Amino acid sequence: RRVASGDFTLDDLFMLLKALAIFEASISSVSGFLPVKLLIDLLNFSLANDVAGRVSSALAIELDKRLKGALLGDENYKLGDATKRTIANAVKAYTGKDEYSFGDITNTVVSSFAEEDTSGTVKDRPKIGLTSSKELEPSLNEALEKWDGLSEEQLKDGLEKLNQYVESVTKEELNTEKTKDKDK
């Protein structure tokens, strides 16, 4: 609900995703319906702040799933040529590859963590589409907003599924507590 209303910070979302990763819960239930622009912002944020790389890797996997459909062809994604080209150029600049293949973002993120030294400090890893002032390039920002505008229905569906999931977990916890109380 906070994501849909815009009432969050990257720190909030990063902490949520980090908590899910720590408890080995699936991050895809949350990241699967986040807008692409927010996924990239979160990935860039986590590349700068995620020591272990668990959140960054999960976000990269989700971003690769979205790019696969948008750049490699999926009738559900209706991006225009200019939007595709802008996004593809940012991906190419990040991965260093001329052609995008499914998994390129994930491989680039994972390899950036593999190159880490053993001190446990966060190094300055490459980011996707940032200018020298650490803002998303305006053309990429515009392209991602267009893409996300096409995905509003998916966001609404995702929020509904998340609400249903939270309700089912709550009911399950209540049933577990009732069973424990009866066993006492």
Side-chain angles (χ1 to χ4, degrees):
R1 289 180 218 168
R2 290 179 66 190
V3 171
S5 68
D7 184 27
F8 64 89
T9 66
L10 288 179
D11 280 330
D12 295 337
L13 290 175
F14 181 70
M15 291 307 292
L16 168 65
L17 296 174
K18 194 170 183 176
L20 288 171
I22 287 170
F23 292 111
E24 297 182 3
S26 174
I27 290 176
S28 64
S29 60
V30 175
S31 64
F33 69 88
L34 294 175
V36 179
K37 182 177 180 290
L38 182 56
L39 269 177
I40 289 177
D41 286 342
L42 273 168
L43 179 58
N44 285 336
F45 183 85
S46 67
L47 285 168
N49 296 292
D50 189 9
V51 176
R54 295 171 93 179
V55 174
S56 299
S57 297
L59 290 168
I61 289 168
E62 181 61 34
L63 188 56
D64 266 324
K65 287 180 192 175
R66 306 270 186 97
L67 289 170
K68 178 183 178 187
L71 300 181
L72 300 180
D74 181 336
E75 65 278 356
N76 293 327
Y77 292 94
K78 311 273 190 254
L79 297 180
D81 290 341
T83 303
K84 279 185 182 180
R85 193 170 32 257
T86 300
I87 294 169
N89 287 339
V91 170
K92 289 175 191 176
Y94 178 69
T95 62
K97 295 179 72 179
D98 289 335
E99 289 291 318
Y100 172 76
S101 298
F102 178 64
D104 285 350
I105 298 286
T106 304
N107 290 335
T108 302
V109 167
V110 169
S111 67
S112 76
F113 282 95
E115 296 169 1
E116 296 260 317
D117 61 5
T118 56
S119 69
T121 59
V122 178
K123 73 174 197 171
D124 187 27
R125 298 181 192 97
K127 314 293 185 301
I128 299 174
L130 293 186
T131 64
S132 58
S133 61
K134 304 212 185 286
E135 298 289 325
L136 272 181
E137 294 175 9
S139 61
L140 179 59
N141 191 37
E142 183 180 329
L144 293 172
E145 286 177 2
K146 284 180 183 176
W147 187 359
D148 288 336
L150 297 172
S151 305
E152 275 188 49
E153 275 306 310
Q154 291 174 333
L155 177 61
K156 289 176 186 174
D157 290 343
L159 287 172
E160 180 59 33
K161 288 177 184 174
L162 186 60
N163 283 333
Q164 291 171 355
Y165 174 74
V166 168
E167 287 175 16
S168 71
V169 168
T170 303
K171 286 178 184 176
E172 188 176 313
E173 287 176 355
L174 288 173
N175 288 336
T176 303
E177 288 177 20
K178 288 179 183 177
T179 304
K180 287 180 183 178
D181 289 342
K182 286 181 182 178
D183 293 340
K184 287 183 182 180

